[in-house]
Amino acid sequence: MLDLDALFRAYLKERQDAGEILALDDELQDVYRRWLDTPSDALRGVKPGQLFARSDPDALIEAFLSYHVAGLPVPEPMLDAIGDSRACESALRDIALGCFEGASPEARLTAMELLTQSGSAYALPVLLKALEAPNDDDASDLATDLLAGRGSTVLEELLAALPHASPSTADRICGLLADMPPDERIFSCLLQRFAVEGADVGFIASLLRRYGDDRARPALEASLEQGRAKRYADFVALKDAVETFGGTVTAEPQFPDDPDFERANGKA
């Protein structure tokens, strides 16, 4: 299996030994781009950047999976070729959804990124599905990050997904909504999530604070009065949100055996 990274390292050493590269940190990306566009003896005169340009889509996907299985970095030109090929999209979708035989967890993450970067129509459904990925925090975390990068363009889809989401996924969706421009539906969703029995009140309080609508203050104050903060960290988040919106919190409940409370009060 071809290790393009090793070929580039060898090329880099040759250039360094010849004194052609002096400020490596500054020039590395330029050197890499030149190498991609330079015919390579090791590749029988083919430019590394063009190595996979005309490859069969099925062969590309097979090689992509093989690199992951072998624990080798997938060559950047291969990733570019796959991302540029519409014929690879359906396979990438299946890999990203975890239903492609032989695909590793790492391949799944890379497939999610490629679909997103290429602007594939499959990207949004895949990311929404990955938010709910059972026992796969890496996929859920990456989906959250990639959806965050799309901003308010995914507002309608997130609002539609929220009523059917599990508690952990609902929190992820609310975290994404809280960073979007003001919308009455977002505020309503955050308040509704905050009111759910058993909700992570500290986390949702921090989202309401981040969203910045001071109409949340009465609900936050009521939660403090009702003793919904079961941990010291929850109390702090509620207190910070109330004070951000102009309120005052004077009473501080006790949280015996809570390490955060003990540290804050010099008992740890």
Side-chain angles (χ1 to χ4, degrees):
M1 189 175 295
L2 186 61
D3 187 347
L4 278 190
D5 281 2
L7 289 182
F8 175 64
R9 289 194 297 271
Y11 172 85
L12 192 61
K13 186 176 186 306
E14 289 176 5
R15 302 284 77 75
Q16 288 177 290
D17 291 346
E20 296 177 18
I21 302 174
L22 301 178
L24 183 58
D25 290 342
D26 295 333
E27 296 184 13
L28 187 56
Q29 286 302 314
D30 288 338
V31 173
Y32 182 69
R33 281 191 288 267
R34 288 199 302 272
W35 174 72
L36 288 176
D37 198 41
T38 301
S40 169
D41 291 340
L43 301 176
R44 299 180 181 179
V46 176
K47 297 177 181 179
Q50 296 297 313
L51 187 60
F52 305 100
R54 297 182 181 179
S55 296
D56 174 75
D58 291 339
L60 277 175
I61 293 297
E62 183 179 352
F64 167 77
L65 295 175
S66 296
Y67 272 90
H68 279 289
V69 170
L72 289 173
V74 182
E76 185 176 313
M78 178 183 288
L79 293 175
D80 290 341
I82 293 172
D84 291 341
S85 173
R86 293 299 178 192
C88 290
E89 281 188 314
S90 60
L92 286 176
R93 175 201 59 199
D94 292 344
I95 293 169
L97 290 174
C99 55
F100 195 102
E101 186 176 355
S104 67
E106 293 77 14
R108 180 181 188 184
L109 301 180
T110 306
M112 289 167 58
E113 292 181 314
L114 287 173
L115 288 171
T116 302
Q117 292 165 3
S118 67
S120 169
Y122 291 134
L124 183 53
V126 162
L127 296 181
L128 291 172
K129 184 72 173 177
L131 276 181
E132 196 74 77
N135 305 317
D136 194 344
D137 288 342
D138 289 340
S140 297
D141 289 344
L142 179 59
T144 301
D145 291 343
L146 294 174
L147 285 167
R150 303 181 73 153
S152 58
T153 63
V154 295
L155 171 60
E156 301 301 330
E157 289 80 3
L158 291 176
L159 290 174
L162 186 57
H164 315 290
S166 68
S168 60
T169 302
D171 285 349
R172 287 181 182 275
I173 291 174
C174 284
L176 292 165
L177 294 174
D179 288 326
M180 293 185 183
D183 185 299
E184 195 63 27
R185 295 171 297 171
I186 294 177
F187 181 63
S188 176
C189 286
L190 293 175
L191 277 186
Q192 289 175 20
R193 182 69 192 141
F194 183 68
V196 170
E197 184 177 353
D200 187 342
V201 293
F203 175 67
I204 306 300
S206 70
L207 297 185
L208 286 164
R209 180 188 182 198
R210 199 161 86 204
Y211 187 66
D213 192 320
D214 61 9
R215 290 177 297 164
R217 177 177 155 187
L220 294 162
E221 290 174 331
S223 286
L224 282 171
E225 293 170 2
Q226 294 162 6
R228 292 186 69 198
K230 304 304 181 185
R231 302 171 301 173
Y232 182 66
D234 294 335
F235 168 76
V236 171
L238 287 164
K239 179 175 180 288
D240 288 347
V242 167
E243 292 176 346
T244 294
F245 296 138
T248 302
V249 179
T250 54
E252 181 171 306
Q254 300 295 300
F255 295 88
D257 300 323
D258 185 320
D260 292 331
F261 178 76
E262 293 181 354
R263 278 193 293 270
N265 288 273
K267 298 178 182 179

